[in-house]
Amino acid sequence: MANVVVVGSQWGDEGKGKIVDWLSERADVVVRFQGGHNAGHTLVVGDVVYKLSLLPSGVVRPGKLSIIGNGVVVDPWALVDEIARIGELGVSITPKTLKIAENVALILPSHGAVDRAREEAGGANKLGTTGRGIGPAYEDKVGRRAVRLCDLADETLLAKRLDALLLHHNAILRGLGSPEFKRDEVMAKLLDVAPAVLPYADRVWHCLDEARRRGDRILFEGAQGAMLDVDHGTYPFVTSSNTVAGQAAAGAGAGVKVIGYVLGITKAYTTRVGRGPFPSELHDETGKLLGERGREFGTVTGRRRRCGWFDAVLVRQAVKIGGIDGIALTKLDVLDGLPKLNVCVGYRINGEQYDHLPALPSLQDRAEPVYETLDGWAENTQGARSWADLPATAVKYIRRIEELIEAPVALLSTSPDREDTILVRDPFAD
């Protein structure tokens, strides 16, 4: 029996919500280990649609322990709002069912203000952040001036932390011509929210160690995707944390040996939100069709996603960087009816062939896709629940993807419905 890490293998939005929900039924503990409330997962359970941005997907499943690890940055007000919103859908979240690392860094109102002010000042060179303060919160964590969840229990310490933080934030805001924050006002807001969030604080590392010793199945849930990793993604158009599976151990307070199987969620085509290189992007009717069929709008931001052909080069790179053992291929049904399907198998940059995406941005910007064309299928794959339900050409497409990315398909998703999933290999049984 293996503990499983679920990560995105592209630029996020690969359909992790459904797969994590599907796996969480088999898990005992579900852990978020990076990101903040800039990531969104949509779960469809029966007739109810849950839109989560900070809470682990396991919260909608009775009897599961949900954990927010120290690698996450938490906006306490967004957390309280999300708990209340999910509560209105009939899901009761208590300190017994949700535990948050006591040493997790918090996102304060000034973080969002700094984020938005810098984006506005960037003009045409803005990064395309969600403006929710995730990046500045990670900066403060690394800069050793963050306010952490446990600090809310010590008013004297909290005041000192806040003084240091606002000294830094107000200097930035002043320089950008934006309103500054008053310490007493922010302090009052923190003291007001503290009773609502402190009950969830716990020694997450200890909880996970106990779960491991009991033999519980642990599911580590990542946010965003490998190509948005702050080290390995298309920098600087990336998120502010490590999104690859290696972060699961550090971001949850668990030893690396706790990781057994890494599942990379992979869309049958490619999308990304915001600016940044995208070699296989389509600007034609096919790209528009993929976006409409796939309902390619962000769960959190509502922003339209850019769409393109499947990029096997990027996914293969993510497989190697992230130690991905197998993939969950999602949204295959979106390709139904397309007579020909292109797959990016390499790049041409300045007249040379590349089998990877180089780190230098100027080379990334010049990357032209080299395509291999495969036959499409006229039949409908939506709702397929076995290989026998799939057209032969669809199976050939999947097999060719496996060859190109050098990883097998462990699960196949054919609709947003959690039951429309073909299990090839159970990650927990590895």
Side-chain angles (χ1 to χ4, degrees):
M1 183 176 65
N3 297 320
V4 178
V5 179
V6 173
V7 292
S9 67
Q10 295 158 306
W11 278 295
D13 309 311
E14 301 97 347
K16 289 185 291 296
K18 171 192 167 173
I19 301 301
V20 169
D21 175 54
W22 192 87
L23 289 170
S24 68
E25 192 170 44
R26 294 157 174 77
D28 302 297
V29 183
V30 183
V31 188
R32 274 284 307 271
F33 60 86
Q34 53 80 216
H37 63 306
N38 56 337
H41 290 167
T42 300
L43 313 181
V44 181
V45 182
D47 296 327
V48 184
V49 177
Y50 301 96
K51 296 195 177 210
L52 307 178
S53 57
L54 184 58
L55 293 172
S57 297
V59 297
V60 303
R61 293 285 166 193
K64 312 296 180 183
L65 175 61
S66 295
I67 288 178
I68 296 177
N70 56 275
V72 180
V73 286
V74 173
D75 181 322
W77 299 277
L79 174 67
V80 170
D81 288 345
E82 189 169 337
I83 289 174
R85 179 165 47 81
I86 297 301
E88 292 174 356
L89 296 175
V91 177
S92 176
I93 298 174
T94 71
K96 288 186 177 181
T97 60
L98 173 66
K99 296 187 182 299
I100 305 174
E102 59 186 355
N103 54 334
V104 78
L106 300 182
I107 301 174
L108 308 189
S110 56
H111 285 115
V114 168
D115 202 358
R116 293 185 292 273
R118 289 198 303 211
E119 277 288 274
E120 185 176 347
N125 296 316
K126 62 178 62 176
L127 295 175
T129 74
T130 60
R132 300 189 173 207
I134 281 72
Y138 274 115
E139 290 175 32
D140 288 336
K141 177 180 177 178
V142 176
R144 295 168 292 185
R145 55 181 169 264
V147 172
R148 304 189 300 174
L149 179 57
C150 57
D151 297 339
L152 298 182
D154 185 336
E155 189 171 340
T156 301
L157 174 63
L158 180 61
K160 292 180 180 178
R161 289 264 198 264
L162 196 53
D163 282 338
L165 191 72
L166 291 182
L167 177 67
H168 180 73
H169 286 187
N170 282 336
I172 295 173
L173 293 170
R174 191 181 313 122
L176 293 173
S178 297
E180 298 179 35
F181 282 78
K182 296 179 180 179
R183 189 259 249 174
D184 290 348
E185 292 180 1
V186 179
M187 185 75 170
K189 290 181 179 180
L190 285 169
L191 293 177
D192 181 62
V193 79
V197 294
L198 275 176
Y200 296 97
D202 210 327
R203 294 177 298 156
V204 159
W205 58 269
H206 180 68
C207 297
L208 288 172
D209 184 62
E210 287 187 325
R212 179 185 62 81
R213 291 176 183 275
R214 286 193 304 266
D216 289 351
R217 292 178 174 180
I218 305 172
L219 179 62
F220 295 89
E221 175 186 6
Q224 289 98 23
M227 290 300 112
L228 292 176
D229 185 281
V230 70
D231 287 311
H232 303 291
T234 48
Y235 191 91
F237 302 101
V238 294
T239 193
S240 302
S241 61
N242 289 112
T243 62
V244 295
Q247 175 64 15
V256 292
K257 291 183 179 179
V258 78
I259 300 174
Y261 189 95
V262 180
L263 182 67
I265 314 303
T266 309
K267 199 178 288 185
Y269 50 101
T270 310
T271 63
R272 84 169 296 172
V273 172
R275 298 182 61 215
F278 187 170
S280 66
E281 183 174 10
L282 292 170
H283 300 281
D284 57 11
E285 288 302 311
T286 301
K288 182 179 178 181
L289 178 66
L290 292 176
E292 291 174 350
R293 281 190 183 177
R295 299 178 183 178
E296 297 298 348
F297 297 91
T299 300
V300 172
T301 64
R303 290 186 292 180
R304 182 185 295 274
R305 297 171 187 146
R306 299 154 63 190
C307 297
W309 294 119
F310 185 85
D311 191 329
V313 183
L314 281 185
V315 176
R316 183 173 64 242
Q317 200 161 319
V319 165
K320 296 180 183 299
I321 291 169
I324 293 173
D325 296 298
I327 68 166
L329 191 65
T330 66
K331 293 197 173 184
L332 181 71
D333 55 300
V334 173
L335 302 179
D336 290 354
L338 294 177
K340 295 293 180 180
L341 303 172
N342 287 332
V343 175
C344 179
V345 296
Y347 304 123
R348 187 176 294 107
I349 306 175
N350 296 333
E352 296 184 21
Q353 293 288 115
Y354 281 75
D355 63 357
H356 67 284
L357 188 66
L360 188 63
S362 58
L363 294 180
Q364 292 179 356
D365 290 340
R366 298 189 188 102
E368 299 176 4
V370 176
Y371 287 125
E372 178 178 312
T373 303
L374 304 175
D375 289 332
W377 52 90
E379 301 91 332
N380 183 19
T381 65
Q382 185 173 13
R385 297 184 180 182
S386 72
W387 285 106
D389 296 333
L390 297 175
T393 46
V395 174
K396 287 181 181 179
Y397 180 77
I398 296 167
R399 294 305 184 205
R400 184 54 179 150
I401 283 176
E402 290 179 316
E403 292 174 353
L404 291 169
I405 67 173
E406 300 177 20
V409 170
L411 289 93
L412 181 66
S413 171
T414 57
S415 91
D417 190 320
R418 70 187 304 275
E419 299 304 325
D420 293 339
T421 304
I422 300 173
L423 176 63
V424 181
R425 181 177 183 178
D426 187 351
F428 280 118
D430 188 70

